């Protein structure tokens, strides 16, 4: 990143110029554009640099996982128990919701039926 043609624009400063409104406007737009180009180049440079790092990190994690698999074995057994408990709780919750819905429907039907029986 030390060799970048956008730095040449920054070196051309501190020169007295007669004020021109259009020149100032174009200069400000050029400065914004230069900043956009610099940030885009920095992002590309970073992505290129980090491209191989992700695969190296995954490889290191796989090696560590192979070396320490005995630590995860009990966790996998516990995971099955936890999943079973979650499934049972979900079934119980859905059963209670169905029971409540049926009770509410019965109450609503009773209220509607009671209101229709009255004659004036």
């Amino acid at each position: 990143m030390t060799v970048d043609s956008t730095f040449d624009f920054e070196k051309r400063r501190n020169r007295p110029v007669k004020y021109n409104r259009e020149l100032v406007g174009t200069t400000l737009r050029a400065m914004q554009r230069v900043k956009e180009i610099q940030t885009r180049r920095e992002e590309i440079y970073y992505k290129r640099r980090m491209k191989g790092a992700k695969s190296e990190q995954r490889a290191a994690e796989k090696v560590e996982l192979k070396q320490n698999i005995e630590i995860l074995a009990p966790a996998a057994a516990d995971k099955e128990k936890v999943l079973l408990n979650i499934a049972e709780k979900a079934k119980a919750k859905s059963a209670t919701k169905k029971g409540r819905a049926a009770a509410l429907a019965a109450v609503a039907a009773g209220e509607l039926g009671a209101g229709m029986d009255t004659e004036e």
Side-chain angles (χ1 to χ4, degrees), residues 9-23:
F9 289 113
E10 293 181 7
K11 290 180 183 176
R12 297 181 197 168
R13 59 182 175 213
N14 298 329
R15 294 185 184 175
V17 178
K18 186 175 180 182
Y19 177 75
N20 184 355
R21 186 175 184 158
E22 292 176 11
L23 179 64

Side-chain angles (χ1 to χ4, degrees), residues 44-61:
I44 291 171
Y45 176 75
Y46 180 79
K47 286 181 183 178
R48 283 186 189 155
R49 214 173 35 138
M50 293 296 143
K51 197 175 218 179
K54 193 176 222 180
S55 61
E56 290 177 10
Q57 183 181 6
R58 285 189 180 170
E61 288 172 355

Side-chain angles (χ1 to χ4, degrees), residues 60-108:
E61 288 172 355
K62 285 182 182 180
V63 168
E64 185 177 350
L65 188 64
K66 285 180 182 178
Q67 290 174 353
N68 301 320
I69 192 69
E70 67 276 354
I71 295 172
L72 294 178
D78 291 338
K79 185 178 179 181
E80 291 175 7
K81 291 178 185 177
V82 170
L83 290 174
L84 288 174
N85 287 339
I86 291 172
E88 289 174 6
K89 287 180 183 179
K91 286 180 184 177
K93 189 180 254 188
S94 65
T96 56
K97 282 185 181 180
K98 287 180 184 177
R100 288 181 186 166
L104 288 174
V107 169

